């Protein structure tokens, strides 16, 4: 099964922006792990923005 390249880059950019991880490290993550990190970062951002 292939994964949309645009979506993959969005996930990688989002995590890299917030955690400053290198591209190779991010590409080594499984899709479920990347999604989990994206969700956790979103939760952190929501808490920070709410005060």
């Amino acid at each position: 099964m292939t994964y949309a390249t645009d979506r993959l880059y969005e996930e990688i950019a989002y995590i890299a922006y917030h955690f400053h991880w290198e591209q190779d490290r991010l590409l080594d993550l499984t899709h479920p792990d990347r999604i989990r990190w994206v969700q956790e970062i979103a939760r952190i951002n929501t808490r920070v923005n709410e005060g």
Side-chain angles (χ1 to χ4, degrees), residues 5-24:
T5 304
D6 289 343
R7 183 67 183 152
L8 176 63
Y9 275 97
E10 287 175 7
E11 292 171 7
I12 289 172
Y14 188 75
I15 298 168
Y17 175 80
H18 290 282
F19 285 174
H20 309 287
W21 290 356
E22 295 196 18
Q23 182 179 5
D24 289 342

Side-chain angles (χ1 to χ4, degrees), residues 6 10 14 16 21 27 31 34 36 38 41-42 44-45:
D6 289 343
E10 287 175 7
Y14 188 75
W21 290 356
L27 288 171
H31 176 66
R34 270 193 319 276
R36 178 64 191 263
V38 166
I41 293 167
I44 292 167
N45 285 335

